Structure formats: structure tokens, C-alpha cells
Amino acid sequence: MSGFLDRAKEQAKQGLAQGKQKVDELQQQRAGSDLLRKLGAAYYAERRGSGTPEATQSALTALEAHISAHGDGFLHS
């Protein structure tokens, strides 16, 4: 009986680890999408005359940093 419980416990740990990894990936994708949306808004505001090139560059820099750290998978969704 002890062996069965040990296997069940190990499977539960693996399931939790996989679930946490999926949650982390989803959070990274959402953060990337949010940064991309902010870049679009900054660019649009700049083109309309109510934004600045600095704000657009700042948004681009933040997006590039996110891509460097987490990849660009959110761009392909």
C-alpha cells in the first residue's frame, strides 16, 4: 500500500508543477499582449499628435525586454 501512496503523491506533485508552469506561461503571454497593446496605443497617440516619440520608444523598449526574457510566442497566438 505504501508504494501506491508514494506513486500517487509523486504524480500529484508532477501535476501541480505542470499546472504552475502553464499558469506562468499564460501570465507571460498576457503581459506580452498588454505590452504590445501599449505600444500600439503609444504609436497611435504619437501619430495623432497627442503622444511623444519618447513614449513610443519606451513602450517598444519594454516590449523588446519582455521578448528577450520570455520569447515571442504571444505574437503568434
Side-chain angles (χ1 to χ4, degrees):
M1 187 68 164
S2 172
F4 172 76
L5 292 176
D6 289 341
R7 284 193 308 265
K9 184 178 177 181
E10 186 59 34
Q11 286 178 342
K13 284 182 182 180
Q14 288 176 353
L16 287 173
Q18 288 174 343
K20 182 181 179 334
Q21 182 181 1
K22 280 294 197 186
V23 167
D24 290 345
E25 288 173 8
L26 183 58
Q27 288 174 337
Q28 291 170 5
Q29 287 180 346
R30 286 182 178 166
S33 294
D34 186 47
L35 290 168
L36 188 59
R37 194 174 312 111
K38 288 178 181 179
L39 174 60
Y43 178 76
Y44 180 74
E46 181 184 348
R47 298 293 291 174
R48 288 191 61 222
S50 60
T52 64
E54 292 80 16
T56 303
Q57 184 59 48
S58 176
L60 178 60
T61 301
L63 179 62
E64 289 173 337
H66 179 81
I67 290 172
S68 291
H70 305 290
D72 66 354
F74 68 95
L75 294 172
H76 308 293
S77 301

